Amino acid sequence: MSKERDRGYDPTIVGLLCNWCTYAGADLAGTTRIKHPQNMRAIRIPCSGRVSPHFIFTSLFQGADGVFIGGCHPADCHYTSGNYYARRRFALMKSLLDFVGVEPDRLTLEWVSASEGDRFAEVVTEFTEGVKALGRPNSLKRDGLES
Amino acid sequence: MRLSNGEAPQTIVFIHCVGSRDPSKGFPYCSRICCMATAKHAVIARSKLPDAEIFSFYIDIRAAGKGYEEFVRRAIEQEDIEFIKGRPARVIEKKGKLVVRSEDAFSGRPIEVEADLVVLTNGAQSQDDAPELAQTLGIGYDQYGFFNELHPKLRPVETNKAGVFIAGMCQGPKDIPESVSQASAAAVKALQILSKDELSREPQVAEVNPFRCTGCMDCMEVCFYTAIEEDEFMRRKVAKVNPGVCQGCGACVAACMGGALEMKIFNDEQIYAEITGLFAVPKGTRGTDGGEAAHE
């Protein structure tokens, strides 16, 4: 990967967004026309507790520059406890990424409620900037991986 | 009548919000029934003792039911019951009398009342063993031991466990009319299930592949809805999802080490296809850099 391409590149971020809070929050950010970087691609999931570590690794193997998990605020989960499982798994994933040589900052877990369109834009902007600063590609990316 | 000397009390003091609406006591919530109940008791006391002095110390009057406000106004205006806005600090026994020491928020001065009878309106609390019952049934409860409804506005009598309904004070302080209407709703919700020959459910549920399941039951641990039970398949223990109870959150699917659990919607195959689709290189374009291709 040449130096030139690293400068000011457009990262690709996989967003795994909980159907009940963050996905609706992202929708609200859109309908209220709040500006934020467009690098995050939203994938709707029923609950942040549905996020398996496999999803994160699949994204990184494919070349995602960052993975954003969005869930409901603590005590606000539609399924009552899914976000707590997500939080535990997230903590383990962070150290696992560190162990396998991926910057842990490529992964984030944020709580955004359905009414927090502005907060959604805020955290996405922040994360995108952070991922941009890390550069590309992530060390797990496999070139020529058949999709 | 005072049992020790057989005399009827000449001064009666009612004290509202004893132990409730007080975060320092650990009960910040309002018991809801006592403003009205106290007014009722005061009016009954007045009818028995026309010459007695009756006081009622309150924080705010929260008699919010139909006709309740009118009743409280009647107690104040027609039944001559002295409502004093103030929270009594203490009750001292002095020469056979009970001295209630309080503030009077309207005059801004401290006030003392020598009473023959002090009635405390204790805050409503849940049953001590309510959490135990909730755990047995697998339903949610809050920090005060009240059972949680599934949704405060849209599903007020259902619990997170399908087929278990709640009504009345077990869900939170409420008066008789409210309890009756909640109970009626719960009864109809129960009938709704029983009146049908077949149960309809959401298609978004998890399913176990018994060939892959090792019977570790990790999924049972994470299931908030207790929808997963043990089953036997080819003479070994496996997990089984009860599709009538499953709410389709997917926690078990993510927890399953062996990949034996799968959802019918939002399944692994669909999500992987979405992820890889983001990086797919459109036909006819050059380059191996998936990230950039996704932007084109």
Side-chain angles (χ1 to χ4, degrees):
Chain A
M1 203 61 58
S2 71
K3 280 273 179 214
E4 281 152 67
R5 292 184 73 188
D6 280 349
R7 217 177 299 135
Y9 80 108
D10 237 3
T12 303
I13 295 167
V14 174
L16 299 162
L17 310 184
C18 132
N19 180 35
W20 305 95
C21 293
T22 315
Y23 197 81
D27 206 24
L28 185 70
T31 50
T32 49
R33 297 172 188 274
I34 300 169
K35 282 192 178 161
H36 59 81
Q38 303 157 25
N39 304 71
M40 198 206 71
R41 304 303 147 94
I43 292 176
R44 188 159 67 115
I45 47 165
C47 175
S48 52
R50 174 72 181 86
V51 175
S52 152
H54 295 267
F55 299 168
I56 297 160
F57 275 110
T58 305
S59 307
L60 293 171
F61 284 145
Q62 295 281 334
D65 301 298
V67 179
F68 179 100
I69 308 167
C72 307
H73 283 278
D76 210 18
C77 176
H78 181 78
Y79 301 109
T80 315
S81 50
N83 52 357
Y84 297 141
Y85 296 131
R87 185 164 63 184
R88 278 190 229 168
R89 235 171 252 144
F90 170 75
L92 291 172
M93 274 307 289
K94 277 274 200 189
S95 34
L96 180 58
L97 287 181
D98 199 23
F99 180 72
V100 298
V102 176
E103 299 88 341
D105 288 347
R106 290 196 188 272
L107 175 68
T108 192
L109 172 68
E110 293 287 351
W111 312 131
V112 179
S113 83
S115 58
E116 293 177 328
D118 45 352
R119 186 178 143 75
F120 175 80
E122 207 176 287
V123 294
V124 165
T125 310
E126 199 182 308
F127 183 61
T128 309
E129 294 306 318
V131 167
K132 251 185 193 173
L134 289 174
R136 81 174 3 167
N138 80 65
S139 54
L140 287 181
K141 179 173 190 277
R142 292 182 180 172
D143 277 324
L145 189 79
E146 289 295 317
S147 55
Chain B
M1 189 179 82
R2 199 167 180 181
L3 289 176
S4 53
N5 55 14
E7 283 170 19
Q10 283 313 299
T11 313
I12 305 172
V13 171
F14 289 89
I15 301 176
H16 289 232
C17 305
V18 177
S20 58
R21 294 187 66 194
D22 189 350
S24 66
K25 299 273 194 303
F27 295 97
Y29 58 86
C30 169
S31 292
R32 293 189 61 185
I33 49 168
C34 356
C35 282
M36 181 61 191
T38 308
K40 186 188 85 183
H41 289 148
V43 168
I44 292 171
R46 166 63 70 227
S47 72
K48 305 275 183 206
L49 306 164
D51 301 323
E53 275 191 295
I54 303 176
F55 295 89
S56 188
F57 285 89
Y58 67 96
I59 306 179
D60 327 275
I61 293 297
R62 293 187 166 182
K66 189 179 180 182
Y68 289 11
E69 178 67 22
E70 292 89 326
F71 187 89
V72 174
R73 294 254 48 107
R74 196 187 108 197
I76 298 170
E77 287 162 9
Q78 292 169 28
E79 306 288 344
D80 195 26
I81 290 154
E82 193 83 29
F83 275 72
I84 297 168
K85 189 177 174 73
R87 193 161 203 169
R90 65 172 40 173
V91 180
I92 310 150
E93 196 177 354
K94 209 187 263 179
K95 292 177 204 157
K97 293 254 186 187
L98 294 163
V99 180
V100 178
R101 207 176 266 175
S102 174
E103 53 165 352
D104 179 356
F106 286 138
S107 70
R109 293 212 190 98
I111 181 170
E112 268 191 9
V113 178
E114 283 190 7
D116 299 313
L117 177 68
V118 175
V119 182
L120 306 180
T121 54
N122 287 326
Q125 258 174 279
S126 61
Q127 292 273 343
D128 288 340
D129 57 353
E132 212 176 297
L133 177 63
Q135 283 161 11
T136 312
L137 293 172
I139 62 174
Y141 58 98
D142 65 16
Q143 73 237 64
Y144 311 114
F146 293 116
F147 300 153
N148 281 344
E149 66 283 0
L150 196 52
H151 190 283
K153 288 175 190 161
L154 302 174
R155 300 175 110 175
V157 300
E158 290 156 273
T159 61
N160 55 297
K161 177 106 179 187
V164 178
F165 303 98
I166 48 173
M169 275 272 209
C170 68
Q171 183 250 343
K174 62 176 63 63
D175 62 5
I176 296 167
E178 271 183 86
S179 300
V180 170
S181 36
Q182 206 181 13
S184 310
V188 171
K189 282 280 176 192
L191 273 176
Q192 210 172 43
I193 295 176
L194 296 174
S195 64
K196 285 181 209 148
D197 293 333
E198 283 182 350
L199 202 61
S200 64
R201 59 165 170 82
E202 292 290 317
Q204 185 187 324
V205 291
E207 205 177 29
V208 179
N209 177 350
F211 289 99
R212 279 196 152 195
C213 180
T214 59
C216 71
M217 305 315 279
D218 275 356
C219 46
M220 203 161 131
E221 296 281 314
V222 299
C223 184
F224 178 71
Y225 304 96
T226 55
I228 297 177
E229 49 211 42
E230 283 180 20
D231 194 26
E232 210 181 82
F233 180 75
M234 293 172 75
R235 280 186 288 164
R236 61 192 177 83
K237 188 173 82 172
V238 292
K240 190 183 150 201
V241 177
N242 181 342
V245 182
C246 176
Q247 301 285 314
C249 69
C252 55
V253 183
C256 184
M257 299 282 179
L261 270 148
E262 187 55 291
M263 285 179 82
K264 294 200 171 170
I265 302 175
F266 291 116
N267 62 33
D268 282 353
E269 202 184 335
Q270 289 171 334
I271 293 173
Y272 287 135
E274 283 188 70
I275 295 172
T276 48
L278 285 181
F279 301 95
V281 183
K283 269 183 187 156
T285 57
R286 229 182 114 253
T288 51
D289 193 337
E292 265 183 10
H295 287 274
E296 283 159 15

